[in-house]
PDB file of all heavy atoms in Angstrom:
ATOM      1  N   SER A 132     -16.170 -12.151  -0.895  1.00  0.00           N
ATOM      2  CA  SER A 132     -16.215 -12.043   0.537  1.00  0.00           C
ATOM      3  C   SER A 132     -14.827 -11.878   1.140  1.00  0.00           C
ATOM      4  O   SER A 132     -14.574 -11.110   2.057  1.00  0.00           O
ATOM      5  CB  SER A 132     -16.875 -13.269   1.225  1.00  0.00           C
ATOM      6  OG  SER A 132     -18.080 -13.486   0.617  1.00  0.00           O
ATOM      7  N   LEU A 133     -13.898 -12.633   0.535  1.00  0.00           N
ATOM      8  CA  LEU A 133     -12.500 -12.550   1.062  1.00  0.00           C
ATOM      9  C   LEU A 133     -11.980 -11.120   0.789  1.00  0.00           C
ATOM     10  O   LEU A 133     -11.321 -10.566   1.638  1.00  0.00           O
ATOM     11  CB  LEU A 133     -11.634 -13.595   0.315  1.00  0.00           C
ATOM     12  CG  LEU A 133     -10.112 -13.643   0.607  1.00  0.00           C
ATOM     13  CD1 LEU A 133      -9.883 -13.759   2.115  1.00  0.00           C
ATOM     14  CD2 LEU A 133      -9.470 -14.791  -0.143  1.00  0.00           C
ATOM     15  N   ALA A 134     -12.287 -10.583  -0.382  1.00  0.00           N
ATOM     16  CA  ALA A 134     -11.803  -9.202  -0.703  1.00  0.00           C
ATOM     17  C   ALA A 134     -12.449  -8.240   0.289  1.00  0.00           C
ATOM     18  O   ALA A 134     -11.739  -7.271   0.789  1.00  0.00           O
ATOM     19  CB  ALA A 134     -12.186  -8.838  -2.129  1.00  0.00           C
ATOM     20  N   ASP A 135     -13.712  -8.406   0.588  1.00  0.00           N
ATOM     21  CA  ASP A 135     -14.315  -7.549   1.590  1.00  0.00           C
ATOM     22  C   ASP A 135     -13.596  -7.599   2.913  1.00  0.00           C
ATOM     23  O   ASP A 135     -13.402  -6.625   3.593  1.00  0.00           O
ATOM     24  CB  ASP A 135     -15.802  -7.920   1.773  1.00  0.00           C
ATOM     25  CG  ASP A 135     -16.699  -7.510   0.609  1.00  0.00           C
ATOM     26  OD1 ASP A 135     -16.290  -6.599  -0.116  1.00  0.00           O
ATOM     27  OD2 ASP A 135     -17.751  -8.122   0.426  1.00  0.00           O
ATOM     28  N   ALA A 136     -13.332  -8.881   3.326  1.00  0.00           N
ATOM     29  CA  ALA A 136     -12.704  -9.133   4.589  1.00  0.00           C
ATOM     30  C   ALA A 136     -11.318  -8.448   4.661  1.00  0.00           C
ATOM     31  O   ALA A 136     -10.912  -7.809   5.654  1.00  0.00           O
ATOM     32  CB  ALA A 136     -12.571 -10.665   4.860  1.00  0.00           C
ATOM     33  N   ILE A 137     -10.582  -8.548   3.497  1.00  0.00           N
ATOM     34  CA  ILE A 137      -9.272  -7.926   3.477  1.00  0.00           C
ATOM     35  C   ILE A 137      -9.370  -6.409   3.560  1.00  0.00           C
ATOM     36  O   ILE A 137      -8.577  -5.712   4.244  1.00  0.00           O
ATOM     37  CB  ILE A 137      -8.534  -8.379   2.201  1.00  0.00           C
ATOM     38  CG1 ILE A 137      -8.149  -9.850   2.279  1.00  0.00           C
ATOM     39  CG2 ILE A 137      -7.239  -7.485   1.935  1.00  0.00           C
ATOM     40  CD1 ILE A 137      -7.689 -10.490   0.954  1.00  0.00           C
ATOM     41  N   LEU A 138     -10.360  -5.842   2.813  1.00  0.00           N
ATOM     42  CA  LEU A 138     -10.450  -4.337   2.770  1.00  0.00           C
ATOM     43  C   LEU A 138     -10.928  -3.825   4.113  1.00  0.00           C
ATOM     44  O   LEU A 138     -10.667  -2.686   4.421  1.00  0.00           O
ATOM     45  CB  LEU A 138     -11.418  -3.974   1.650  1.00  0.00           C
ATOM     46  CG  LEU A 138     -10.853  -4.118   0.242  1.00  0.00           C
ATOM     47  CD1 LEU A 138     -11.935  -3.835  -0.802  1.00  0.00           C
ATOM     48  CD2 LEU A 138      -9.583  -3.272  -0.005  1.00  0.00           C
ATOM     49  N   THR A 139     -11.633  -4.641   4.882  1.00  0.00           N
ATOM     50  CA  THR A 139     -12.092  -4.206   6.182  1.00  0.00           C
ATOM     51  C   THR A 139     -11.144  -4.588   7.326  1.00  0.00           C
ATOM     52  O   THR A 139     -11.324  -4.220   8.508  1.00  0.00           O
ATOM     53  CB  THR A 139     -13.514  -4.624   6.554  1.00  0.00           C
ATOM     54  OG1 THR A 139     -13.524  -6.023   6.437  1.00  0.00           O
ATOM     55  CG2 THR A 139     -14.516  -3.961   5.654  1.00  0.00           C
ATOM     56  N   GLY A 140     -10.052  -5.350   7.008  1.00  0.00           N
ATOM     57  CA  GLY A 140      -9.090  -5.715   7.997  1.00  0.00           C
ATOM     58  C   GLY A 140      -9.580  -6.807   8.903  1.00  0.00           C
ATOM     59  O   GLY A 140      -9.069  -6.887  10.039  1.00  0.00           O
ATOM     60  N   ALA A 141     -10.491  -7.672   8.469  1.00  0.00           N
ATOM     61  CA  ALA A 141     -10.941  -8.787   9.327  1.00  0.00           C
ATOM     62  C   ALA A 141      -9.827  -9.818   9.509  1.00  0.00           C
ATOM     63  O   ALA A 141      -8.933  -9.936   8.737  1.00  0.00           O
ATOM     64  CB  ALA A 141     -12.154  -9.474   8.687  1.00  0.00           C
ATOM     65  N   VAL A 142      -9.992 -10.511  10.632  1.00  0.00           N
ATOM     66  CA  VAL A 142      -8.973 -11.571  10.934  1.00  0.00           C
ATOM     67  C   VAL A 142      -9.220 -12.797  10.007  1.00  0.00           C
ATOM     68  O   VAL A 142     -10.380 -13.245   9.947  1.00  0.00           O
ATOM     69  CB  VAL A 142      -8.958 -11.979  12.400  1.00  0.00           C
ATOM     70  CG1 VAL A 142      -8.024 -13.096  12.716  1.00  0.00           C
ATOM     71  CG2 VAL A 142      -8.702 -10.749  13.286  1.00  0.00           C
ATOM     72  N   LEU A 143      -8.161 -13.244   9.383  1.00  0.00           N
ATOM     73  CA  LEU A 143      -8.379 -14.463   8.468  1.00  0.00           C
ATOM     74  C   LEU A 143      -7.459 -15.578   8.927  1.00  0.00           C
ATOM     75  O   LEU A 143      -6.427 -15.373   9.564  1.00  0.00           O
ATOM     76  CB  LEU A 143      -7.929 -14.030   7.044  1.00  0.00           C
ATOM     77  CG  LEU A 143      -8.735 -12.906   6.441  1.00  0.00           C
ATOM     78  CD1 LEU A 143      -8.045 -12.413   5.187  1.00  0.00           C
ATOM     79  CD2 LEU A 143     -10.108 -13.374   6.064  1.00  0.00           C
ATOM     80  N   GLU A 144      -7.867 -16.786   8.615  1.00  0.00           N
ATOM     81  CA  GLU A 144      -7.038 -17.977   8.905  1.00  0.00           C
ATOM     82  C   GLU A 144      -6.822 -18.888   7.730  1.00  0.00           C
ATOM     83  O   GLU A 144      -7.498 -18.830   6.716  1.00  0.00           O
ATOM     84  CB  GLU A 144      -7.729 -18.720  10.022  1.00  0.00           C
ATOM     85  CG  GLU A 144      -7.475 -18.132  11.360  1.00  0.00           C
ATOM     86  CD  GLU A 144      -8.366 -18.705  12.482  1.00  0.00           C
ATOM     87  OE1 GLU A 144      -9.076 -19.728  12.275  1.00  0.00           O
ATOM     88  OE2 GLU A 144      -8.406 -18.048  13.576  1.00  0.00           O
ATOM     89  N   ASN A 145      -5.736 -19.745   7.889  1.00  0.00           N
ATOM     90  CA  ASN A 145      -5.428 -20.815   6.960  1.00  0.00           C
ATOM     91  C   ASN A 145      -5.421 -20.355   5.494  1.00  0.00           C
ATOM     92  O   ASN A 145      -4.689 -19.388   5.129  1.00  0.00           O
ATOM     93  CB  ASN A 145      -6.390 -21.949   7.118  1.00  0.00           C
ATOM     94  CG  ASN A 145      -6.349 -22.321   8.626  1.00  0.00           C
ATOM     95  OD1 ASN A 145      -5.342 -22.345   9.244  1.00  0.00           O
ATOM     96  ND2 ASN A 145      -7.506 -22.730   9.148  1.00  0.00           N
ATOM     97  N   THR A 146      -6.176 -21.053   4.643  1.00  0.00           N
ATOM     98  CA  THR A 146      -6.111 -20.821   3.208  1.00  0.00           C
ATOM     99  C   THR A 146      -6.427 -19.346   2.878  1.00  0.00           C
ATOM    100  O   THR A 146      -5.763 -18.800   2.046  1.00  0.00           O
ATOM    101  CB  THR A 146      -7.143 -21.674   2.502  1.00  0.00           C
ATOM    102  OG1 THR A 146      -7.042 -22.989   3.024  1.00  0.00           O
ATOM    103  CG2 THR A 146      -6.922 -21.757   0.959  1.00  0.00           C
ATOM    104  N   ASP A 147      -7.484 -18.778   3.529  1.00  0.00           N
ATOM    105  CA  ASP A 147      -7.821 -17.396   3.214  1.00  0.00           C
ATOM    106  C   ASP A 147      -6.601 -16.429   3.504  1.00  0.00           C
ATOM    107  O   ASP A 147      -6.318 -15.561   2.771  1.00  0.00           O
ATOM    108  CB  ASP A 147      -8.999 -17.006   4.052  1.00  0.00           C
ATOM    109  CG  ASP A 147     -10.303 -17.380   3.435  1.00  0.00           C
ATOM    110  OD1 ASP A 147     -10.268 -17.868   2.266  1.00  0.00           O
ATOM    111  OD2 ASP A 147     -11.360 -17.242   4.032  1.00  0.00           O
ATOM    112  N   ALA A 148      -5.938 -16.743   4.637  1.00  0.00           N
ATOM    113  CA  ALA A 148      -4.825 -15.840   5.044  1.00  0.00           C
ATOM    114  C   ALA A 148      -3.680 -15.958   4.015  1.00  0.00           C
ATOM    115  O   ALA A 148      -3.085 -14.938   3.566  1.00  0.00           O
ATOM    116  CB  ALA A 148      -4.305 -16.222   6.388  1.00  0.00           C
ATOM    117  N   ARG A 149      -3.420 -17.147   3.445  1.00  0.00           N
ATOM    118  CA  ARG A 149      -2.437 -17.322   2.475  1.00  0.00           C
ATOM    119  C   ARG A 149      -2.740 -16.669   1.167  1.00  0.00           C
ATOM    120  O   ARG A 149      -1.831 -16.371   0.351  1.00  0.00           O
ATOM    121  CB  ARG A 149      -2.103 -18.877   2.247  1.00  0.00           C
ATOM    122  CG  ARG A 149      -1.433 -19.469   3.430  1.00  0.00           C
ATOM    123  CD  ARG A 149      -0.983 -20.935   3.071  1.00  0.00           C
ATOM    124  NE  ARG A 149      -0.032 -20.935   1.944  1.00  0.00           N
ATOM    125  CZ  ARG A 149       1.291 -20.740   2.149  1.00  0.00           C
ATOM    126  NH1 ARG A 149       1.773 -20.392   3.346  1.00  0.00           N
ATOM    127  NH2 ARG A 149       2.079 -20.793   1.080  1.00  0.00           N
ATOM    128  N   ARG A 150      -3.995 -16.376   0.883  1.00  0.00           N
ATOM    129  CA  ARG A 150      -4.405 -15.803  -0.358  1.00  0.00           C
ATOM    130  C   ARG A 150      -4.393 -14.296  -0.345  1.00  0.00           C
ATOM    131  O   ARG A 150      -4.665 -13.629  -1.319  1.00  0.00           O
ATOM    132  CB  ARG A 150      -5.782 -16.348  -0.750  1.00  0.00           C
ATOM    133  CG  ARG A 150      -5.610 -17.768  -1.216  1.00  0.00           C
ATOM    134  CD  ARG A 150      -6.991 -18.412  -1.560  1.00  0.00           C
ATOM    135  NE  ARG A 150      -6.743 -19.735  -2.146  1.00  0.00           N
ATOM    136  CZ  ARG A 150      -7.647 -20.709  -2.312  1.00  0.00           C
ATOM    137  NH1 ARG A 150      -8.889 -20.477  -1.894  1.00  0.00           N
ATOM    138  NH2 ARG A 150      -7.351 -21.870  -2.913  1.00  0.00           N
ATOM    139  N   VAL A 151      -4.161 -13.672   0.880  1.00  0.00           N
ATOM    140  CA  VAL A 151      -4.189 -12.243   1.043  1.00  0.00           C
ATOM    141  C   VAL A 151      -3.282 -11.505   0.019  1.00  0.00           C
ATOM    142  O   VAL A 151      -3.667 -10.598  -0.634  1.00  0.00           O
ATOM    143  CB  VAL A 151      -3.855 -11.834   2.425  1.00  0.00           C
ATOM    144  CG1 VAL A 151      -3.558 -10.285   2.545  1.00  0.00           C
ATOM    145  CG2 VAL A 151      -5.009 -12.168   3.404  1.00  0.00           C
ATOM    146  N   PRO A 152      -1.988 -11.994  -0.178  1.00  0.00           N
ATOM    147  CA  PRO A 152      -1.094 -11.167  -1.031  1.00  0.00           C
ATOM    148  C   PRO A 152      -1.638 -11.205  -2.484  1.00  0.00           C
ATOM    149  O   PRO A 152      -1.539 -10.211  -3.218  1.00  0.00           O
ATOM    150  CB  PRO A 152       0.214 -11.785  -0.972  1.00  0.00           C
ATOM    151  CG  PRO A 152       0.078 -13.012  -0.112  1.00  0.00           C
ATOM    152  CD  PRO A 152      -1.258 -12.941   0.573  1.00  0.00           C
ATOM    153  N   PHE A 153      -2.226 -12.328  -3.007  1.00  0.00           N
ATOM    154  CA  PHE A 153      -2.814 -12.420  -4.320  1.00  0.00           C
ATOM    155  C   PHE A 153      -3.976 -11.449  -4.486  1.00  0.00           C
ATOM    156  O   PHE A 153      -4.039 -10.682  -5.454  1.00  0.00           O
ATOM    157  CB  PHE A 153      -3.218 -13.792  -4.664  1.00  0.00           C
ATOM    158  CG  PHE A 153      -2.158 -14.916  -4.551  1.00  0.00           C
ATOM    159  CD1 PHE A 153      -2.245 -15.903  -3.657  1.00  0.00           C
ATOM    160  CD2 PHE A 153      -1.108 -14.788  -5.404  1.00  0.00           C
ATOM    161  CE1 PHE A 153      -1.264 -16.895  -3.521  1.00  0.00           C
ATOM    162  CE2 PHE A 153      -0.068 -15.843  -5.330  1.00  0.00           C
ATOM    163  CZ  PHE A 153      -0.172 -16.821  -4.373  1.00  0.00           C
ATOM    164  N   VAL A 154      -4.900 -11.573  -3.530  1.00  0.00           N
ATOM    165  CA  VAL A 154      -6.107 -10.732  -3.639  1.00  0.00           C
ATOM    166  C   VAL A 154      -5.751  -9.258  -3.455  1.00  0.00           C
ATOM    167  O   VAL A 154      -6.153  -8.374  -4.163  1.00  0.00           O
ATOM    168  CB  VAL A 154      -7.152 -11.180  -2.552  1.00  0.00           C
ATOM    169  CG1 VAL A 154      -8.266 -10.168  -2.518  1.00  0.00           C
ATOM    170  CG2 VAL A 154      -7.591 -12.557  -2.849  1.00  0.00           C
ATOM    171  N   GLY A 155      -4.853  -8.999  -2.403  1.00  0.00           N
ATOM    172  CA  GLY A 155      -4.405  -7.579  -2.219  1.00  0.00           C
ATOM    173  C   GLY A 155      -3.737  -7.048  -3.431  1.00  0.00           C
ATOM    174  O   GLY A 155      -4.012  -5.862  -3.830  1.00  0.00           O
ATOM    175  N   ALA A 156      -2.936  -7.827  -4.115  1.00  0.00           N
ATOM    176  CA  ALA A 156      -2.196  -7.311  -5.303  1.00  0.00           C
ATOM    177  C   ALA A 156      -3.214  -7.021  -6.434  1.00  0.00           C
ATOM    178  O   ALA A 156      -3.074  -6.029  -7.113  1.00  0.00           O
ATOM    179  CB  ALA A 156      -1.175  -8.351  -5.771  1.00  0.00           C
ATOM    180  N   ALA A 157      -4.234  -7.857  -6.626  1.00  0.00           N
ATOM    181  CA  ALA A 157      -5.224  -7.638  -7.687  1.00  0.00           C
ATOM    182  C   ALA A 157      -6.058  -6.418  -7.387  1.00  0.00           C
ATOM    183  O   ALA A 157      -6.330  -5.573  -8.197  1.00  0.00           O
ATOM    184  CB  ALA A 157      -6.096  -8.863  -7.819  1.00  0.00           C
ATOM    185  N   LEU A 158      -6.478  -6.208  -6.098  1.00  0.00           N
ATOM    186  CA  LEU A 158      -7.221  -5.092  -5.720  1.00  0.00           C
ATOM    187  C   LEU A 158      -6.438  -3.796  -5.894  1.00  0.00           C
ATOM    188  O   LEU A 158      -6.958  -2.810  -6.377  1.00  0.00           O
ATOM    189  CB  LEU A 158      -7.723  -5.147  -4.258  1.00  0.00           C
ATOM    190  CG  LEU A 158      -8.804  -6.226  -3.929  1.00  0.00           C
ATOM    191  CD1 LEU A 158      -8.886  -6.437  -2.396  1.00  0.00           C
ATOM    192  CD2 LEU A 158     -10.103  -5.863  -4.521  1.00  0.00           C
ATOM    193  N   GLN A 159      -5.131  -3.873  -5.614  1.00  0.00           N
ATOM    194  CA  GLN A 159      -4.263  -2.718  -5.893  1.00  0.00           C
ATOM    195  C   GLN A 159      -4.261  -2.398  -7.317  1.00  0.00           C
ATOM    196  O   GLN A 159      -4.364  -1.200  -7.698  1.00  0.00           O
ATOM    197  CB  GLN A 159      -2.831  -3.050  -5.423  1.00  0.00           C
ATOM    198  CG  GLN A 159      -2.644  -2.938  -3.860  1.00  0.00           C
ATOM    199  CD  GLN A 159      -1.257  -3.242  -3.444  1.00  0.00           C
ATOM    200  OE1 GLN A 159      -0.388  -3.748  -4.277  1.00  0.00           O
ATOM    201  NE2 GLN A 159      -0.893  -2.894  -2.215  1.00  0.00           N
ATOM    202  N   VAL A 160      -4.109  -3.308  -8.180  1.00  0.00           N
ATOM    203  CA  VAL A 160      -4.092  -3.048  -9.629  1.00  0.00           C
ATOM    204  C   VAL A 160      -5.403  -2.365 -10.031  1.00  0.00           C
ATOM    205  O   VAL A 160      -5.384  -1.315 -10.697  1.00  0.00           O
ATOM    206  CB  VAL A 160      -3.893  -4.395 -10.443  1.00  0.00           C
ATOM    207  CG1 VAL A 160      -4.214  -4.130 -11.961  1.00  0.00           C
ATOM    208  CG2 VAL A 160      -2.482  -4.845 -10.289  1.00  0.00           C
ATOM    209  N   TYR A 161      -6.507  -2.887  -9.639  1.00  0.00           N
ATOM    210  CA  TYR A 161      -7.805  -2.379 -10.022  1.00  0.00           C
ATOM    211  C   TYR A 161      -8.027  -0.946  -9.487  1.00  0.00           C
ATOM    212  O   TYR A 161      -8.424  -0.026 -10.316  1.00  0.00           O
ATOM    213  CB  TYR A 161      -8.898  -3.380  -9.487  1.00  0.00           C
ATOM    214  CG  TYR A 161     -10.293  -2.943  -9.715  1.00  0.00           C
ATOM    215  CD1 TYR A 161     -10.928  -3.008 -10.880  1.00  0.00           C
ATOM    216  CD2 TYR A 161     -10.998  -2.298  -8.608  1.00  0.00           C
ATOM    217  CE1 TYR A 161     -12.262  -2.581 -11.102  1.00  0.00           C
ATOM    218  CE2 TYR A 161     -12.304  -1.803  -8.850  1.00  0.00           C
ATOM    219  CZ  TYR A 161     -12.885  -1.968 -10.078  1.00  0.00           C
ATOM    220  OH  TYR A 161     -14.200  -1.542 -10.246  1.00  0.00           O
ATOM    221  N   PHE A 162      -7.774  -0.741  -8.257  1.00  0.00           N
ATOM    222  CA  PHE A 162      -7.963   0.628  -7.656  1.00  0.00           C
ATOM    223  C   PHE A 162      -6.955   1.631  -8.043  1.00  0.00           C
ATOM    224  O   PHE A 162      -7.139   2.780  -8.155  1.00  0.00           O
ATOM    225  CB  PHE A 162      -8.087   0.480  -6.147  1.00  0.00           C
ATOM    226  CG  PHE A 162      -9.486   0.042  -5.697  1.00  0.00           C
ATOM    227  CD1 PHE A 162      -9.693  -1.273  -5.364  1.00  0.00           C
ATOM    228  CD2 PHE A 162     -10.495   0.957  -5.647  1.00  0.00           C
ATOM    229  CE1 PHE A 162     -10.966  -1.732  -5.020  1.00  0.00           C
ATOM    230  CE2 PHE A 162     -11.811   0.541  -5.276  1.00  0.00           C
ATOM    231  CZ  PHE A 162     -12.063  -0.840  -4.971  1.00  0.00           C
ATOM    232  N   THR A 163      -5.717   1.190  -8.376  1.00  0.00           N
ATOM    233  CA  THR A 163      -4.639   2.069  -8.758  1.00  0.00           C
ATOM    234  C   THR A 163      -4.965   2.649 -10.168  1.00  0.00           C
ATOM    235  O   THR A 163      -4.730   3.773 -10.426  1.00  0.00           O
ATOM    236  CB  THR A 163      -3.263   1.425  -8.698  1.00  0.00           C
ATOM    237  OG1 THR A 163      -3.125   0.955  -7.349  1.00  0.00           O
ATOM    238  CG2 THR A 163      -2.175   2.323  -9.077  1.00  0.00           C
ATOM    239  N   ARG A 164      -5.524   1.758 -11.054  1.00  0.00           N
ATOM    240  CA  ARG A 164      -5.915   2.192 -12.307  1.00  0.00           C
ATOM    241  C   ARG A 164      -6.949   3.354 -12.247  1.00  0.00           C
ATOM    242  O   ARG A 164      -6.880   4.310 -12.962  1.00  0.00           O
ATOM    243  CB  ARG A 164      -6.635   1.059 -13.090  1.00  0.00           C
ATOM    244  CG  ARG A 164      -5.747   0.285 -13.962  1.00  0.00           C
ATOM    245  CD  ARG A 164      -6.669  -0.497 -14.939  1.00  0.00           C
ATOM    246  NE  ARG A 164      -6.075  -1.843 -15.088  1.00  0.00           N
ATOM    247  CZ  ARG A 164      -6.541  -3.054 -14.692  1.00  0.00           C
ATOM    248  NH1 ARG A 164      -7.701  -3.068 -14.103  1.00  0.00           N
ATOM    249  NH2 ARG A 164      -5.929  -4.130 -14.956  1.00  0.00           N
ATOM    250  N   ILE A 165      -7.933   3.148 -11.330  1.00  0.00           N
ATOM    251  CA  ILE A 165      -8.908   4.192 -11.132  1.00  0.00           C
ATOM    252  C   ILE A 165      -8.261   5.474 -10.671  1.00  0.00           C
ATOM    253  O   ILE A 165      -8.531   6.579 -11.192  1.00  0.00           O
ATOM    254  CB  ILE A 165     -10.027   3.741 -10.128  1.00  0.00           C
ATOM    255  CG1 ILE A 165     -10.723   2.528 -10.790  1.00  0.00           C
ATOM    256  CG2 ILE A 165     -10.982   4.890  -9.860  1.00  0.00           C
ATOM    257  CD1 ILE A 165     -11.806   1.890  -9.776  1.00  0.00           C
ATOM    258  N   ALA A 166      -7.399   5.377  -9.630  1.00  0.00           N
ATOM    259  CA  ALA A 166      -6.712   6.562  -9.045  1.00  0.00           C
ATOM    260  C   ALA A 166      -5.874   7.311 -10.178  1.00  0.00           C
ATOM    261  O   ALA A 166      -5.903   8.474 -10.292  1.00  0.00           O
ATOM    262  CB  ALA A 166      -5.856   6.158  -7.908  1.00  0.00           C
ATOM    263  N   GLN A 167      -5.245   6.480 -11.048  1.00  0.00           N
ATOM    264  CA  GLN A 167      -4.380   7.093 -12.031  1.00  0.00           C
ATOM    265  C   GLN A 167      -5.183   7.884 -13.007  1.00  0.00           C
ATOM    266  O   GLN A 167      -4.764   8.850 -13.574  1.00  0.00           O
ATOM    267  CB  GLN A 167      -3.585   5.979 -12.723  1.00  0.00           C
ATOM    268  CG  GLN A 167      -2.547   6.600 -13.775  1.00  0.00           C
ATOM    269  CD  GLN A 167      -1.736   5.522 -14.499  1.00  0.00           C
ATOM    270  OE1 GLN A 167      -0.613   5.066 -13.984  1.00  0.00           O
ATOM    271  NE2 GLN A 167      -2.274   5.029 -15.557  1.00  0.00           N
ATOM    272  N   ALA A 168      -6.440   7.461 -13.253  1.00  0.00           N
ATOM    273  CA  ALA A 168      -7.330   8.100 -14.283  1.00  0.00           C
ATOM    274  C   ALA A 168      -8.064   9.307 -13.747  1.00  0.00           C
ATOM    275  O   ALA A 168      -8.664  10.058 -14.485  1.00  0.00           O
ATOM    276  CB  ALA A 168      -8.218   7.062 -14.891  1.00  0.00           C
ATOM    277  N   LEU A 169      -8.138   9.532 -12.426  1.00  0.00           N
ATOM    278  CA  LEU A 169      -8.998  10.565 -11.917  1.00  0.00           C
ATOM    279  C   LEU A 169      -8.253  11.910 -12.021  1.00  0.00           C
ATOM    280  O   LEU A 169      -7.043  12.037 -11.853  1.00  0.00           O
ATOM    281  CB  LEU A 169      -9.242  10.366 -10.356  1.00  0.00           C
ATOM    282  CG  LEU A 169     -10.301   9.329 -10.007  1.00  0.00           C
ATOM    283  CD1 LEU A 169     -10.387   9.205  -8.502  1.00  0.00           C
ATOM    284  CD2 LEU A 169     -11.658   9.680 -10.564  1.00  0.00           C
ATOM    285  N   PRO A 170      -9.043  12.997 -12.248  1.00  0.00           N
ATOM    286  CA  PRO A 170      -8.474  14.371 -12.212  1.00  0.00           C
ATOM    287  C   PRO A 170      -8.197  14.674 -10.720  1.00  0.00           C
ATOM    288  O   PRO A 170      -9.099  14.387  -9.865  1.00  0.00           O
ATOM    289  CB  PRO A 170      -9.582  15.294 -12.746  1.00  0.00           C
ATOM    290  CG  PRO A 170     -10.586  14.353 -13.307  1.00  0.00           C
ATOM    291  CD  PRO A 170     -10.464  13.026 -12.620  1.00  0.00           C
ATOM    292  N   VAL A 171      -7.041  15.245 -10.442  1.00  0.00           N
ATOM    293  CA  VAL A 171      -6.702  15.472  -9.038  1.00  0.00           C
ATOM    294  C   VAL A 171      -7.646  16.433  -8.376  1.00  0.00           C
ATOM    295  O   VAL A 171      -7.925  16.353  -7.143  1.00  0.00           O
ATOM    296  CB  VAL A 171      -5.202  15.838  -8.887  1.00  0.00           C
ATOM    297  CG1 VAL A 171      -5.008  17.313  -9.259  1.00  0.00           C
ATOM    298  CG2 VAL A 171      -4.726  15.585  -7.424  1.00  0.00           C
ATOM    299  N   ALA A 172      -8.309  17.321  -9.151  1.00  0.00           N
ATOM    300  CA  ALA A 172      -9.225  18.317  -8.580  1.00  0.00           C
ATOM    301  C   ALA A 172     -10.488  17.619  -7.960  1.00  0.00           C
ATOM    302  O   ALA A 172     -11.133  18.095  -7.121  1.00  0.00           O
ATOM    303  CB  ALA A 172      -9.678  19.261  -9.679  1.00  0.00           C
ATOM    304  N   ASP A 173     -10.742  16.369  -8.378  1.00  0.00           N
ATOM    305  CA  ASP A 173     -11.861  15.637  -7.878  1.00  0.00           C
ATOM    306  C   ASP A 173     -11.589  15.043  -6.465  1.00  0.00           C
ATOM    307  O   ASP A 173     -12.543  14.492  -5.851  1.00  0.00           O
ATOM    308  CB  ASP A 173     -12.288  14.501  -8.792  1.00  0.00           C
ATOM    309  CG  ASP A 173     -13.007  15.045 -10.017  1.00  0.00           C
ATOM    310  OD1 ASP A 173     -13.349  16.245 -10.036  1.00  0.00           O
ATOM    311  OD2 ASP A 173     -13.221  14.277 -11.013  1.00  0.00           O
ATOM    312  N   VAL A 174     -10.371  15.036  -6.011  1.00  0.00           N
ATOM    313  CA  VAL A 174     -10.097  14.383  -4.757  1.00  0.00           C
ATOM    314  C   VAL A 174      -9.328  15.284  -3.763  1.00  0.00           C
ATOM    315  O   VAL A 174      -8.568  14.854  -2.944  1.00  0.00           O
ATOM    316  CB  VAL A 174      -9.351  13.040  -4.909  1.00  0.00           C
ATOM    317  CG1 VAL A 174     -10.233  11.993  -5.488  1.00  0.00           C
ATOM    318  CG2 VAL A 174      -8.094  13.226  -5.759  1.00  0.00           C
TER     319      VAL A 174
END
Side-chain angles (χ1 to χ4, degrees):
S132 308
L133 177 56
D135 287 337
I137 291 169
L138 290 175
T139 54
V142 177
L143 300 167
E144 278 168 13
N145 307 323
T146 314
D147 277 352
R149 289 188 62 80
R150 287 175 172 166
V151 167
F153 301 116
V154 174
L158 289 168
Q159 281 180 348
V160 166
Y161 174 79
F162 280 98
T163 302
R164 262 195 220 117
I165 297 175
Q167 186 178 270
L169 283 179
V171 76
D173 285 350
V174 289

